[in-house]
Amino acid sequence: GYTGFSQHNLSPGSSATSTPRPPRLSSCVACIPIPMSFSARRGCIGIVKETYNAWERRSPLTPAHVRRLVKSGIRVLVEPSALRVFSDSDFAEAGAEISRDLSEAQAILGVKQVPEARLLPDKTYLFFSHTIKGQPENMPLLDKILQDNIRLIDYERIATDDHMRLVAFGAFAGRAGMVMNR
């Protein structure tokens, strides 16, 4: 079983102890587990343009993942990005729609924190929020998420019952971040 959905995935008046267990996660997407019941019930997901760092090139999904999702009937919107490691045309060839507007997506995936001004109310977001340890610089982001009724699935909190993280930065990502932020 998986217990790693963020404790920040709370609606007003709820508590971490009242948060229901998440559905079983699918292995259809190698780097980002997507709840199967969520995928089957919802028809559209989005991939946000990374804006947290000017050098960020990572993507939460690859074009191969997008192709599999589209073939299974899920509409995928990709916000255009000239920096992402995969080109917009790579995603379009895989069946995604390139769009600056992700408002039709029920779930929006990213890698790093989405700036507060870019968050869409009443959506589900999946990204590393860096809020779980109470990092002061990210508390305004958490406040905005709660204020706008956003469900946050924080990659740092997707874990097995024995607290083994399932989504993590690799050693190379850590080293690259250390070099780039000097």
Side-chain angles (χ1 to χ4, degrees), residues 34-89:
I34 297 177
M36 283 304 290
S37 61
F38 181 85
S39 299
R41 198 176 56 221
R42 306 285 187 201
C44 184
I45 64 171
I47 298 175
V48 70
K49 174 183 177 179
E50 296 295 328
T51 59
Y52 187 77
N53 290 314
W55 54 269
E56 184 62 68
R57 298 195 50 179
R58 291 176 293 173
S59 178
L61 298 177
T62 69
H65 297 137
V66 168
R67 183 174 293 106
R68 290 173 70 181
L69 290 167
V70 170
K71 282 184 180 180
S72 73
I74 298 171
R75 185 172 168 219
V76 179
L77 303 175
V78 175
E79 194 171 17
S81 171
L83 297 177
R84 192 181 292 120
V85 68
F86 303 105
S87 70
D88 295 342
S89 62

Side-chain angles (χ1 to χ4, degrees), residues 7-52:
Q7 64 185 351
H8 303 144
N9 181 10
L10 304 175
S11 54
S14 67
S15 69
T17 57
S18 67
T19 303
R21 290 180 58 89
R24 183 173 167 83
L25 298 177
S26 163
S27 61
C28 72
V29 176
C31 60
I32 304 297
I34 297 177
M36 283 304 290
S37 61
F38 181 85
S39 299
R41 198 176 56 221
R42 306 285 187 201
C44 184
I45 64 171
I47 298 175
V48 70
K49 174 183 177 179
E50 296 295 328
T51 59
Y52 187 77

Side-chain angles (χ1 to χ4, degrees), residues 113-120 137-145 148 150:
Q113 304 96 308
V114 176
E116 297 157 45
R118 300 193 66 230
L119 291 169
L120 300 173
E137 65 275 12
N138 294 320
M139 291 301 98
L141 171 65
L142 183 57
D143 289 341
K144 178 71 170 166
I145 286 167
D148 285 358
I150 292 169

